[in-house]
Amino acid sequence: MTAEELQLGSVIHYPFRWRHQLGGIPHPKDRPACIVLKLEVGEGQILYAIAAISDKEPSEIHAAVEIPSPEKRLGGLDPDRTAFVQLAEINTDNAYNSYTIRRRMPVKGRFSAGFVKRISAALADNLRMKRIFLTDRTHE
């Protein structure tokens, strides 16, 4: 699948950069991550919002959405491990000139439309309440 074909809910391997890694680690490790927003921002340009998937339970309830076992299977994740879509920190990336979104992204799977709606609602609430730290990865 090419970067331009990634959809909402696609679970990919992505070098997610956490806030505490800014200015430090030059190449963060690839980890499971989810496309939580896809915007066409110009001719041939697609902006993605990407959320890390982690087994760490968030300290605040609004900071993540727990992934149920059936969704873990759809996303290509281990259904027996606890997993959360982390929403307190989001990486943004433009597929057109990104160094981190490769032209052929390894896609593990894709969450269902219903679960994507649940993630989107939590994301919208966090954006409205200004509870998200955004890291632009486009020019990295």
Side-chain angles (χ1 to χ4, degrees):
M1 176 174 286
T2 65
E4 291 78 11
E5 296 170 325
L6 292 173
Q7 299 298 317
L8 285 178
S10 291
V11 177
I12 60 175
H13 283 282
Y14 182 79
F16 192 87
R17 186 173 298 280
W18 299 100
R19 179 186 339 191
H20 70 270
Q21 296 174 325
L22 293 175
I25 300 171
H27 303 289
K29 71 174 186 170
D30 280 5
R31 65 176 314 108
C34 176
I35 304 296
V36 294
L37 186 64
K38 178 180 178 181
L39 299 170
E40 293 187 28
V41 294
E43 193 171 317
Q45 294 191 40
I46 300 169
L47 181 69
Y48 293 107
I50 303 163
I53 295 174
S54 171
D55 60 356
K56 293 182 181 174
E57 192 165 344
S59 58
E60 298 183 35
I61 190 80
H62 62 78
V65 175
E66 186 167 7
I67 307 170
S69 289
E71 295 296 335
K72 288 183 229 172
R73 285 186 191 89
L74 290 174
L77 304 169
D78 184 344
D80 297 324
R81 293 187 66 186
T82 303
F84 297 87
V85 177
Q86 300 290 334
L87 296 176
E89 297 187 39
I90 299 290
N91 284 192
T92 59
D93 216 332
N94 187 323
Y96 179 74
N97 60 351
S98 172
Y99 292 102
T100 51
I101 292 182
R102 295 175 269 312
R103 293 292 166 224
R104 293 240 172 245
M105 289 296 298
V107 177
K108 296 173 65 71
R110 187 171 170 203
F111 295 136
S112 71
F115 188 60
V116 169
K117 283 183 182 180
R118 191 169 147 210
I119 295 168
S120 295
L123 178 67
D125 186 49
N126 282 349
L127 284 168
R128 192 171 29 261
M129 300 300 291
K130 298 182 175 142
R131 296 187 293 222
I132 294 180
F133 184 84
L134 297 173
T135 300
D136 182 5
R137 301 295 306 282
T138 302
H139 303 290
E140 209 170 281

